[in-house]
Amino acid sequence: MIFGLLNVINFSHGAMFMLGAILTWMGLDYLGAGYWTMLFAAPVVVAGLGVLIERLLLRRIYAFDTSTDSC
């Protein structure tokens, strides 16, 4: 559990780690990709998804932060 800059509880870090683990497992099991390939490919895919989520969804939330104090 991580508090973001907007003082909102953020559970997405754990979800993104789990998504990376599932992508790695699927790549190894279903696609037959090698361990080292998935070790580098899964974080890149998850990072790209994180950028898309931030750009398309979370930017709307930034406008709601009107507080000037940090606590």
Side-chain angles (χ1 to χ4, degrees):
M1 180 169 63
I2 296 172
F3 281 98
L5 295 175
L6 299 177
N7 294 327
V8 176
I9 296 175
N10 185 354
F11 293 103
S12 66
H13 289 84
M16 292 301 228
F17 284 133
M18 199 63 193
L19 182 62
I22 289 172
L23 284 174
T24 302
W25 170 72
M26 289 178 69
L28 291 171
D29 201 39
Y30 295 122
L31 299 177
Y35 172 78
W36 291 105
T37 303
M38 291 312 299
L39 185 67
F40 291 109
V44 170
V45 171
V46 172
L49 181 63
V51 168
L52 283 175
I53 290 171
E54 194 272 334
R55 297 256 168 103
L56 298 176
L57 300 174
L58 295 179
R59 292 234 172 146
R60 296 176 183 167
I61 296 173
Y62 297 155
F64 295 123
D65 185 28
T66 58
S67 65
T68 57
D69 59 339
S70 61
C71 293

